[in-house]
Amino acid sequence: MAVEIRFTDNSSAVLSRVSGNVRAALTAMGTKGVGLTVDQMQSGYGRPIRQTGTLMGDVSYEVERSGKNTVDIGNTKEYDPFVHEDTCKMADRPICETRCNRPPRHSLRTCAAARMRASTGSAAGEAK
């Protein structure tokens, strides 16, 4: 009695799904990072970092701008470095680093991990 076993190579589909999941996780981290940064600008220094609201409205993120599997969060306004670093008239107010590098900084990791788990779970159910 012969038993026939057939294997199907789904590795390319799995790798494709994982790649998409990584991008989704990076996007989720970018969205969360923008929110944390705006929160820091609104209340992290005792009073808002705002005169016109332009800098706060300019906070954005870009996935894989500075390299593979990265998220850049920041501003494009030319005066952002002066707010962030300092000037002779005002102390530095590091915006993203302060909020993202202290509790709940793990929320960025948690956010990405949850997105990866949700996507990976559906991928495992679809593989045949």
Side-chain angles (χ1 to χ4, degrees), residues 13-128:
V14 170
L15 289 173
S16 175
R17 178 61 72 119
V18 167
S19 176
N21 294 348
V22 168
R23 183 140 183 105
L26 292 170
T27 299
M29 288 177 70
T31 301
K32 183 71 172 180
V34 167
L36 290 171
T37 301
V38 171
D39 287 349
Q40 179 71 17
M41 293 173 85
Q42 289 175 335
S43 61
Y45 297 99
R47 64 186 178 96
I49 299 177
R50 175 179 55 235
Q51 287 183 354
T52 65
T54 303
L55 188 63
M56 195 178 298
D58 185 54
V59 179
S60 62
Y61 72 92
E62 193 170 339
V63 174
E64 297 188 339
R65 175 179 174 214
S66 61
K68 185 175 170 95
N69 297 331
T70 63
V71 179
D72 294 338
I73 302 167
N75 299 83
T76 60
K77 299 299 178 195
E78 66 280 352
Y79 56 88
D80 173 55
F82 301 109
V83 173
H84 188 274
E85 300 302 326
D86 70 5
T87 68
C88 62
K89 295 182 179 185
M90 90 179 142
D92 65 328
R93 294 176 284 180
I95 301 165
C96 187
E97 287 90 347
T98 303
R99 182 62 77 166
C100 296
N101 289 330
R102 67 174 188 193
R105 76 171 184 266
H106 63 276
S107 66
L108 289 176
R109 221 176 300 135
T110 303
C111 175
R115 183 65 178 101
M116 289 291 287
R117 270 193 308 276
S119 300
T120 305
S122 64
E126 293 174 8
K128 302 236 188 277

